[in-house]
Amino acid sequence: MNDEPIDTGEAVRCGFVAIVGRPNVGKSTLMNRILGQKISITSRRPQTTRHQVLGVKTEGERQAVYIDTPGMHVMHKDRNRAINQFMNQAATQALRDVDCVVFIVDRTKWTDEDDVVLSRLENVKAPVIVVINKVDWLNDKSALLPWIETLKAKREFAAILPISAKHGTQVDQLEQEVASYLPESEHFFPEDQITDKSSRFIAAELVREKVMRQLGDELPYQMTVEIEEFRSEPNIIHISALMLVERDGQKKILIGEKGERIKQIGREARLDMEKMFDSKVMLKLWVKVKRGWSDDERALKSLGYHLD
């Protein structure tokens, strides 16, 4: 694979771009910003993203297919579960056969998990662009220049760009840099398609996002959402979502006193769904205890946690 930027012209171009980084550095926020709408769910909790999610941006003759990935993380005894292994594998698999990699770091912070990402990039032949995200949070902007020099010493990068994914600062410049590495190719997706994920998948993710935002640290990661019904009628979509947890105590937390918490989760998820699907939505939520699902490979596959 050629590491030199391609001379972009009027040729039809299309390529795949992996967005990688440790948990909670802003990968999903960046992809949503680039696409101009919400495709990947976000929260302040690490490991919100669990699957590879494709976001497609087509502008004229140019199509960039971004792959949002789970945060690569160090495996510890307390989270050495099958679902954590799945997330690491999903992020690593996204690096295969891409035309460009966007490696996101959080300001001037560097952790062991950033080293994990860097090690996964060792054998990647595609150009790697480092994005220093959340620069709007930096009190001392003068720290950026020495930090860029530190990053340059870690390996040869195609570019290093400070950005704010939340506010869009220098995101256009990042897109231009990415575009210079897109090869000549017919487009893989229709012009009006922006993701490879189904409406059922997006509905499940929106419910899970609201749970993570509502509960903070009250509910461990052993929670997932399964869509049992997704039925479209002319003026309304009927959705039934099952929230799976591993213990009875977690079920009580999700439901809340007099059912107030699950009602709030439902209200917030429904509003996002109506905006996403441009339709009125009737949403029903249920909670069920399924013990050990997050550490059971067969259960994970049945719930959609499998690699293509």
Side-chain angles (χ1 to χ4, degrees):
M1 193 171 293
N2 185 6
D3 282 0
E4 292 300 316
I6 297 167
D7 179 20
T8 56
E10 293 302 316
V12 177
R13 297 183 182 277
C14 183
F16 286 83
V17 185
I19 303 175
V20 299
R22 64 176 167 86
N24 218 25
V25 293
K27 298 179 294 296
S28 298
T29 301
L30 176 61
M31 190 169 84
N32 291 341
R33 168 65 64 176
I34 288 170
L35 298 179
Q37 72 178 85
K38 185 175 188 171
I39 296 299
S40 286
I41 65 170
T42 61
S43 82
R44 293 188 178 185
R45 297 195 68 192
Q47 299 171 7
T48 300
T49 300
R50 291 179 175 175
H51 301 263
Q52 292 179 14
V53 179
L54 294 194
V56 185
K57 184 161 185 180
T58 306
E59 291 183 313
E61 302 300 305
R62 186 176 75 202
Q63 184 175 87
V65 184
Y66 292 90
I67 311 169
D68 185 18
T69 63
M72 296 186 192
H73 54 280
V74 178
M75 299 292 287
H76 297 292
K77 285 184 179 179
D78 62 338
R79 59 178 183 182
N80 190 19
R81 292 171 167 265
I83 191 169
N84 295 94
Q85 294 169 7
F86 166 83
M87 288 189 285
N88 269 341
Q89 289 169 2
T92 303
Q93 186 193 64
L95 294 169
R96 298 178 187 170
D97 302 321
V98 293
D99 301 289
C100 182
V101 177
V102 174
F103 172 21
I104 304 184
V105 299
D106 184 345
R107 291 163 287 176
T108 56
K109 297 178 180 178
W110 188 271
T111 70
D112 291 344
E113 293 184 318
D114 292 298
D115 282 322
V116 170
V117 184
L118 195 63
S119 68
R120 303 284 169 86
L121 294 173
E122 281 182 3
N123 298 318
V124 173
K125 295 180 180 178
V128 178
I129 300 168
V130 173
V131 162
I132 305 171
N133 193 23
K134 306 181 187 178
V135 293
D136 50 309
W137 289 10
L138 275 178
N139 293 323
D140 182 11
K141 298 292 193 293
S142 66
L144 271 176
L145 285 178
W147 178 235
I148 288 172
E149 293 305 313
T150 300
L151 290 172
K152 284 180 179 178
K154 292 184 180 295
R155 69 159 279 172
E156 187 176 344
F157 294 113
I160 300 176
L161 290 174
I163 73 159
S164 168
K166 182 178 180 180
H167 298 291
T169 308
Q170 293 215 114
V171 172
D172 286 349
Q173 188 175 338
L174 171 62
E175 289 188 74
Q176 290 172 16
E177 191 72 34
V178 166
S180 68
Y181 295 103
L182 299 179
E184 289 192 21
S185 169
E186 294 300 314
H187 293 174
F188 291 105
F189 295 92
E191 186 177 344
D192 58 352
Q193 185 171 346
I194 59 169
T195 185
D196 65 327
K197 294 303 182 185
S198 67
S199 296
R200 292 177 73 102
F201 174 88
I202 291 171
E205 288 287 271
L206 288 174
V207 173
R208 192 166 64 82
E209 176 188 66
K210 302 314 172 193
V211 173
M212 297 187 77
R213 289 188 173 188
Q214 276 269 321
L215 297 178
D217 295 326
E218 288 185 73
L219 192 69
Y221 295 110
Q222 291 85 50
M223 189 283 299
T224 195
V225 179
E226 185 176 21
I227 300 298
E228 294 193 313
E229 179 189 38
F230 192 105
R231 178 166 49 88
S232 295
E233 293 181 358
N235 299 312
I236 192 168
I237 301 173
H238 295 269
I239 301 173
S240 292
L242 180 64
M243 296 181 286
L244 291 174
V245 293
E246 297 200 331
R247 296 195 298 274
D248 293 326
Q250 295 168 351
K251 180 177 179 179
K252 290 178 182 176
I253 290 172
L254 255 182
I255 293 172
E257 189 175 350
K258 297 181 180 179
E260 282 305 310
R261 182 161 273 158
I262 195 171
K263 287 177 186 175
Q264 181 66 20
I265 290 166
R267 279 193 293 268
E268 293 181 4
R270 177 180 55 78
L271 289 172
D272 267 14
M273 289 177 189
E274 289 181 341
K275 187 184 296 183
M276 177 71 73
F277 303 137
D278 194 23
S279 171
K280 184 174 174 57
V281 171
M282 179 68 71
L283 174 64
K284 295 180 181 178
L285 297 180
W286 314 90
V287 186
K288 180 180 177 181
V289 176
K290 186 179 178 69
R291 302 186 191 281
W293 72 265
S294 67
D295 203 24
D296 182 334
E297 290 188 8
R298 235 167 60 175
L300 286 170
K301 285 182 181 177
S302 72
L303 292 167
Y305 292 94
H306 55 80
L307 300 174
D308 294 331

